[in-house]
Amino acid sequence: MLLDGVNHIAIISNDVGKLGEFYRKVFDAQVGPTRNHGPGETMTNIRIGPGTELNVFVIDGNAEARRQTPMWGRGRIDHLGLAAASRPAFETIRNRLIASGAGDGRINDFGSVLSMFFRDPDGLEGEVVIPKE
């Protein structure tokens, strides 16, 4: 393979402060400063893993972050799949998602991986996975 994973995912948010705080509290993410990215637009980098970031844009007048539909009806990118660093990390994330009200804690067995779903403050669906031991 010529690639080594995902560098960043660019998303649109309604409230980067609230979104950054969620990823910091649940995933121990590092939230960078917010910078201007053009007229009526800002960008904030949220480091979610070694070499992986969410590039979060807030754009005046853009309503895309409010548009939510059922799974497989959300557009070209349906949800984020995040890899837990370890089984203890998976359990810590699970507990934090439940405590924050972002997930119900249900663990899905998808054969080779265990998975749990969540919704971030903008309503974007995410999934945390860990290989089965």
Side-chain angles (χ1 to χ4, degrees), residues 22-36:
F22 170 79
Y23 278 92
R24 188 190 64 72
K25 281 184 174 179
V26 173
F27 300 106
D28 293 338
Q30 298 171 347
V31 181
T34 297
R35 299 179 304 280
N36 285 329

Side-chain angles (χ1 to χ4, degrees), residues 69-117:
T69 59
M71 185 177 263
W72 311 129
R74 298 182 184 121
R76 294 182 70 183
I77 296 178
D78 188 79
H79 64 275
L80 304 178
L82 306 176
S86 65
R87 185 58 191 249
F90 183 83
E91 291 301 327
T92 297
I93 292 166
R94 179 176 181 265
N95 292 333
R96 290 177 181 180
L97 288 171
I98 293 167
S100 71
D104 62 9
R106 189 177 100 196
I107 297 175
N108 305 291
D109 185 337
F110 290 133
S112 62
V113 298
L114 298 176
S115 155
M116 62 186 149
F117 287 90

